[in-house]
Amino acid sequence: MATTDPGTRPSFAREVKSAVSTRAAVLVIGVLALQLAFIASYVGAFHSPKPKNIALAVVAPEQVRGQLMGKLDKLPGDPLDPRAASDEAKAVRQIRERDIDAALIVDPRGSTDRLLVASGGGASLSQAVERVVTAAEKSQQRTVKTQDIAPVAKGDARGLSAFYLVVGWCVGGYLCAAILAISAGARPANPQRAVIRLGTLALYSIASGIGGAVIMGPILEALPGSILGLWGLGALVVFAVGATTLAFQGLAGIVGIGLAIAVIVVLGNPSAGGAYPYPLLPGFWRAIGPALPPGAGTWTARSIAYFRGNAVTGPLLVLSAWAVAGSVVTLLFAAFKKPSDAAIAAKPPR
């Protein structure tokens, strides 16, 4: 029987060094950092939601309006941001245009007022403002009756379908870009190949947009609203996220996929206003949410479904900016790639 001379056996340290390259070790450490950031971001955003500066219109007789608004404005923790409205019709219009989140209609002839909410903008937000206003009214020996003027659809539990739809589109965007990187190199070999990747991503985005819109609408009946509107939104979300991922890959190679996940998933999803709309999120997540694709997409999807497509210009510009910036950066990195790098990237995968 053959034996192995103990003196010829490599040491454990050498085995480790041979089995795990420096690059692999760095990537594993990066994954650990990404994982911990994921936990910190999601728990930080969701562990203790508190209402902050919820936009509330107050419709009341002029002689009591100022005093009432003063009391609502000075509630502990500043949960409300009251502003005067001349009449109920104006308040309703402001809710439907997404300028405000709710409205308090004061009845000067009785002790029961009405609170107008829009659960289509987020059920947790409607419930939060109802709790705050009910407590404030109770302290004045008054009661309040809630009326939902933009209720969620029957198949849209807690108004989360728009958020999950956008999350699915985002996942498709960065996975499509990642597959293009894995199949033919993280960095495109030349501008022509960068254009091909962006063109492929555009076709995928169109298919992904219509697929998501049809599933959410006619198939599951989870979201009302324009199918064409949701289709266009989906195509833009997917392309914006995919182009951003391609840009990060042009900047950092395969590590760019991790950077895209950090921006879109770690930072973007918990700040998107899905489970908890912006007035319920801590300051950091409330500030960054509207500027990231998941937040802009979720806001727009809810507007299409429940608010007649109002207040979507800003979010659509945000998504367009990510799409254009990602495309431009991808093309620039491909154009200025070193010839040696381009030759390596051009080799077909084995």
Side-chain angles (χ1 to χ4, degrees), residues 54-58 83 91 95 100-104 115-118 129 133:
I54 299 175
L56 175 74
V58 177
R83 67 273 310 267
I95 292 174
I100 60 174
D101 300 307
L104 179 62
L115 177 65
L116 308 183
V117 299
V129 71
V133 172

Side-chain angles (χ1 to χ4, degrees), residues 85-108:
S86 57
D87 54 45
E88 181 176 343
K90 182 177 180 180
V92 169
R93 184 169 63 254
Q94 289 178 329
I95 292 174
R96 295 196 184 281
E97 292 176 354
R98 308 201 75 179
D99 293 328
I100 60 174
D101 300 307
L104 179 62
I105 314 299
V106 177
D107 181 4

Side-chain angles (χ1 to χ4, degrees), residues 60-317:
E62 189 174 352
Q63 59 269 27
V64 300
R65 184 192 305 157
Q67 182 180 9
L68 175 59
M69 290 179 59
K71 291 180 179 179
L72 294 174
D73 192 40
K74 294 178 181 178
L75 292 175
D78 297 323
L80 301 177
D81 177 19
R83 67 273 310 267
S86 57
D87 54 45
E88 181 176 343
K90 182 177 180 180
V92 169
R93 184 169 63 254
Q94 289 178 329
I95 292 174
R96 295 196 184 281
E97 292 176 354
R98 308 201 75 179
D99 293 328
I100 60 174
D101 300 307
L104 179 62
I105 314 299
V106 177
D107 181 4
R109 297 170 295 181
S111 60
T112 300
D113 301 326
R114 287 186 298 126
L115 177 65
L116 308 183
V117 299
S119 61
S124 56
L125 177 58
S126 298
Q127 292 167 359
V129 71
E130 183 178 1
R131 286 194 299 269
V132 172
V133 172
T134 298
E137 289 274 279
K138 186 177 180 180
S139 67
Q140 302 297 315
Q141 288 77 50
R142 298 182 68 84
T143 58
V144 63
K145 182 179 179 180
T146 302
Q147 178 183 348
D148 196 341
I149 65 170
V152 295
K154 184 178 180 180
D156 185 11
R158 296 189 59 78
L160 293 175
S161 295
F163 170 62
Y164 290 133
L165 173 61
V166 171
V167 167
W169 279 330
C170 289
V171 170
Y174 64 72
L175 284 183
C176 179
I179 289 171
L180 291 173
I182 293 171
S183 64
R187 296 182 175 95
N190 51 54
Q192 289 77 15
R193 292 200 175 187
V195 171
I196 291 172
R197 288 192 182 187
L198 289 169
T200 302
L201 176 63
L203 293 175
Y204 174 86
S205 300
I206 293 171
S208 180
I210 185 59
V214 170
I215 290 172
M216 280 293 175
I219 295 179
L220 297 181
E221 296 183 348
L223 279 181
S226 168
I227 295 295
L228 289 178
L230 289 175
W231 179 8
L233 171 64
L236 181 55
V237 168
V238 175
F239 188 84
V241 172
T244 299
T245 306
L246 290 176
F248 279 132
Q249 290 169 183
L251 172 67
I254 201 71
V255 176
I257 297 174
L259 296 176
I261 292 174
V263 172
I264 304 301
V265 179
V266 174
L267 294 177
N269 286 354
S271 65
Y276 296 112
Y278 297 137
L280 302 182
L281 292 175
F284 172 74
W285 288 269
R286 185 168 61 248
I288 67 172
L292 297 176
T298 299
W299 176 278
T300 305
R302 282 175 169 164
S303 289
I304 292 172
Y306 297 113
F307 298 93
R308 305 172 185 173
N310 289 319
V312 299
T313 301
L316 289 178
L317 288 175

Side-chain angles (χ1 to χ4, degrees), residues 184-185 187-190 193 197 337 339-349:
R187 296 182 175 95
N190 51 54
R193 292 200 175 187
R197 288 192 182 187
K337 180 183 289 292
S340 58
D341 293 339
I344 294 173
K347 292 182 179 180

